Amino acid sequence: MKVNLEPGAAGSARVVLYEDHEDARDWVASVRANSGTATGRLADFQDIILPNKAALDNLLDQQGAPPELLIVDLKIGGDHNAGFEAIERFRKTCAADTVPIVVFSVVDTKDVVARAYELGATSFVKKPANENRKVDALTEIFVYWLEHDKRLA
């Protein structure tokens, strides 16, 4: 899977979601719908969904500017360490210490959260089981990092 890392429209933010859930694209579409009156980066973001390790490898092998936001599920394809590996590899490969990495995971035990932060996660959000709440949580993540956080402005 070739991932396009070229900038989108002028001013658009590139958001990478490392998530293998079959509804991930629908979640992002709902985030767009929820932010219908937004302006700026939230109104015009380019999403890149990485459903597996091969897509992540492709992203990390490409040259170019890193994304403005990386959202990572910890369990990809049954591998409970895939998200941790993605955080670590992204920080080492992209040399992008300023890119926010938000973990979005159903598992939020103290040791899991601590490990995510040790590897370079910027934030950790528990993924709700309810689909509507999942979209609400993702919308809050997008709003915060694309509209309110000033490192991306």
Side-chain angles (χ1 to χ4, degrees):
M1 172 185 185
K2 187 72 173 164
V3 177
N4 180 12
L5 285 182
E6 294 305 311
S12 68
R14 288 173 302 127
V15 177
V16 172
L17 178 61
Y18 187 42
E19 170 67 68
D20 64 347
H21 194 284
E22 62 189 24
D23 293 333
R25 180 124 344 254
D26 293 335
W27 300 342
V28 173
S30 294
V31 167
R32 282 186 195 284
N34 289 351
S35 59
T37 60
T39 59
R41 302 172 81 72
L42 184 59
D44 185 30
F45 65 86
Q46 173 192 4
D47 60 277
I48 301 167
I49 297 178
L50 305 177
N52 54 45
K53 286 185 178 183
L56 175 69
D57 291 341
N58 179 271
L59 174 91
L60 295 175
D61 289 343
Q62 292 184 44
Q63 298 297 317
E68 284 82 355
L69 175 61
L70 176 63
I71 302 171
V72 177
D73 185 11
L74 294 179
K75 182 180 171 190
I76 301 291
D79 182 350
H80 292 274
N81 289 310
F84 292 129
E85 182 181 307
I87 296 166
E88 186 172 37
R89 288 183 60 211
F90 184 79
R91 286 290 186 226
K92 287 180 181 175
T93 305
C94 293
D97 293 338
T98 61
V99 173
I101 299 176
V102 178
V103 174
F104 191 55
S105 176
V106 296
V107 179
D108 68 343
T109 61
K110 189 174 182 177
D111 58 322
V112 166
V113 173
R115 183 169 178 211
Y117 281 117
E118 287 168 8
L119 293 173
T122 311
S123 182
F124 196 110
V125 176
K126 179 162 175 68
K127 184 190 298 181
N130 176 284
E131 290 300 305
N132 291 333
R133 289 192 178 136
K134 202 172 290 176
V135 168
D136 291 344
L138 272 173
T139 300
E140 289 177 20
I141 292 168
F142 276 69
V143 167
Y144 177 78
W145 291 106
L146 298 182
E147 289 291 310
H148 300 300
D149 184 69
K150 295 305 175 195
R151 84 179 78 210
L152 300 178

